[in-house]
Amino acid sequence: MELHHQFTVPVAVDDAWHALLDIERVAPCLPGAVVEEYDGTTVTGSVKVKVGPVTVAYRGTAVFEEQDETVHRMVLVASGRETRGQGTARATVTGTLSERDGGTAVSVLTDLTVTGRPAQFGRGVLAEVGDRLVGQFAACLAQRLAERSPLGADAQDEAPERPAQEEPEALDLVRAAALPVAKRAAGAMAAAAVVVLVARRVRRHGRTRPTRRR
C-alpha cells in the first residue's frame, strides 16, 4: 500500500535536512523504535508494535539508497522480521524537502508491505493511524529543533557524547486505531439512524393516509 503524508517544521531547509539525517537524535520521536547502530548509510534497530494484549517486535535494517542534498531528496528502504513469528514488514520511504514560508515542508511517500498480525487492520485504518503517527512525529521533531541551540562545526565536534537511547514504549496499534475506528463506527451509526428514521416516517405516512371514496 502507498501512504502519503506531509508536515512542516519551523526551520530552514538545510537545517531540517541535517536534522532528519541525524537518525539517533530523531529516533525517540518514532513510537516504539530503537536505533542500535548507524554508520551514516545503514540503520540497524528494532520496532515494537502492540496489537491488543500481544506485543510484536521487529528487528531489521534500513538503508539510505539516496541522499541528494542538492534537491533535498532521500530514499530509505527498510525491512524487518518478527523476532517471534513469521510476520514481516518492508517499506520504501521517499522524502522530499522544500522551503515554505520561512520553514520547511516535508513530503513523505511510503510504499508499505506488512504481513502478520498488524496487517489485520487493513489499508484504511493503517493509513489513518499513519496520519496520527506522522503528526506526532512532526510535533516532536519541531519541538526538538526549537530546543536545539545553534552550534557551529567546531562546537559540534566538541559536543558531548549522546546518552544511550532508553527502551521506548511499544506502539499500540489498537489505541492508535481507536479514534479512526470510532469515527467510522459513529458515521455508520448515524447513517443507520437516518435510515431507521426515514423508514418510520414512511410507515406512519402509509398508516395515516386517508382512504379515497369511490
Side-chain angles (χ1 to χ4, degrees):
M1 71 182 74
E2 284 194 354
L3 307 174
H4 189 203
H5 300 97
Q6 289 185 321
F7 61 91
T8 59
V9 289
V11 295
V13 174
D14 289 338
D15 292 335
W17 172 263
H18 292 296
L20 287 172
L21 290 179
D22 193 349
I23 299 298
E24 294 171 325
R25 193 177 290 274
V26 302
C29 290
L30 297 170
V34 172
V35 173
E36 299 172 358
E37 186 178 355
Y38 177 50
D39 61 8
T41 301
T42 302
V43 184
T44 303
S46 61
V47 176
K48 287 185 177 181
V49 177
K50 189 175 181 181
V51 184
V54 180
T55 298
V56 181
Y58 294 88
R59 282 186 56 83
T61 59
V63 180
F64 279 101
E65 292 195 341
E66 182 180 336
Q67 293 182 18
D68 192 334
E69 188 172 0
T70 304
V71 296
H72 298 112
R73 182 178 187 270
M74 62 182 74
V75 178
L76 181 72
V77 177
S79 60
R81 179 177 293 275
E82 288 184 31
T83 57
R84 297 180 180 180
Q86 301 300 316
T88 62
R90 180 177 175 81
T92 299
V93 183
T94 302
T96 55
L97 285 65
S98 59
E99 184 178 356
R100 178 180 296 175
D101 299 329
T104 300
V106 183
S107 176
V108 182
L109 178 63
T110 305
D111 187 356
L112 175 66
T113 302
V114 180
T115 65
R117 282 163 285 191
Q120 66 183 285
F121 289 96
R123 186 189 187 286
V125 172
L126 286 179
E128 293 183 72
V129 169
D131 290 341
R132 297 190 67 198
L133 296 180
V134 169
Q136 294 175 14
F137 172 78
C140 176
L141 179 62
Q143 181 179 358
R144 286 178 175 268
L145 290 174
E147 295 173 349
R148 186 177 180 180
S149 59
L151 296 175
D154 295 337
Q156 289 181 359
D157 293 338
E158 297 173 1
E161 186 177 350
R162 296 169 187 163
Q165 185 178 345
E166 297 180 358
E167 185 74 12
E169 183 179 353
L171 168 59
D172 193 333
L173 280 185
V174 173
R175 182 183 302 173
L179 182 59
V181 171
K183 286 182 178 179
R184 291 186 179 186
M189 291 176 65
V194 171
V195 171
V196 171
L197 181 61
V198 171
R200 286 181 178 177
R201 289 185 176 179
V202 169
R203 289 178 183 176
R204 288 178 182 176
H205 182 70
R207 291 175 182 175
T208 59
R209 181 179 298 174
T211 303
R212 295 181 179 179
R213 294 182 181 178
R214 296 182 180 178

